[in-house]
Amino acid sequence: TASTLNSLNKWTPPTASMPEAKRDRLWEKLLASVDAAHEASVPIVLGTDNGMPFVFPGYSVHEELELLVEAGLTPMEALVSATQRAAEMMGEEDAFGTVEAGKRADILILDANPLQDIRNTRTPEVVIKEGKVIDRSSLFNLE
């Protein structure tokens, strides 16, 4: 609704008024916290919080993958956090999270290896949802 959009336009991140040096230190602490949790074998699960200002479904997942790698996870560990770990945390590992017969078939086929550069997840060649190839141009049709 218009009132919701207006309230989002007025929202400013809590760090917006911080001096840049303080914001950078906070950011480094956040990344170090993720790395420390990872090193302590805490399960890391990717899951952007939809409904939050400036968090957009799809796009934000790619950004979060990149941030996990920046925090110290390998690209493979970041991908597992978005797939297998996410399914396990929801108790749905029998339904999705890994590519196996009988599981839900939502897959991105990439033309570049995300293990070499996690940013390669941003450019899927083919999108398969529920076992059907999706016309990528339809993903951006807002009508």
Side-chain angles (χ1 to χ4, degrees):
T1 66
S3 63
T4 302
L5 288 176
N6 285 336
S7 66
L8 288 177
N9 289 334
K10 293 176 187 172
W11 185 86
T12 56
T15 57
S17 61
M18 277 185 194
E20 187 175 348
K22 185 174 182 178
R23 202 168 43 240
D24 290 346
R25 284 192 308 274
L26 177 62
W27 188 251
E28 290 303 318
K29 284 182 181 182
L30 289 170
L31 292 176
S33 294
V34 172
D35 187 40
H38 174 248
E39 290 297 318
S41 299
V42 173
I44 305 295
V45 180
L46 181 141
T48 56
D49 295 327
N50 285 329
M52 296 296 295
F54 308 109
V55 175
F56 303 99
Y59 175 84
S60 294
V61 168
H62 297 288
E63 188 173 60
E64 191 170 344
L65 283 168
E66 293 165 22
L67 290 171
L68 289 175
V69 171
E70 185 178 340
L73 278 71
T74 67
M76 178 59 91
E77 290 168 330
L79 291 168
V80 168
S81 79
T83 54
Q84 184 178 350
R85 290 290 164 271
E88 289 169 355
M89 291 309 235
M90 292 188 292
E92 295 288 341
E93 61 271 21
D94 292 337
F96 64 92
T98 56
V99 178
E100 297 179 60
K103 289 190 175 184
R104 198 168 81 201
D106 295 345
I107 301 171
L108 296 179
I109 299 175
L110 309 170
D111 72 348
N113 189 344
L115 301 180
Q116 293 173 344
D117 185 343
I118 197 67
R119 293 174 296 186
N120 289 334
T121 63
R122 290 183 178 264
T123 54
E125 285 298 310
V126 178
V127 175
I128 301 173
K129 174 128 177 83
E130 297 174 3
K132 297 182 178 129
V133 175
I134 303 296
D135 173 16
R136 286 180 55 208
S137 64
S138 71
L139 296 175
F140 303 103
N141 184 358
L142 299 177
E143 294 178 15

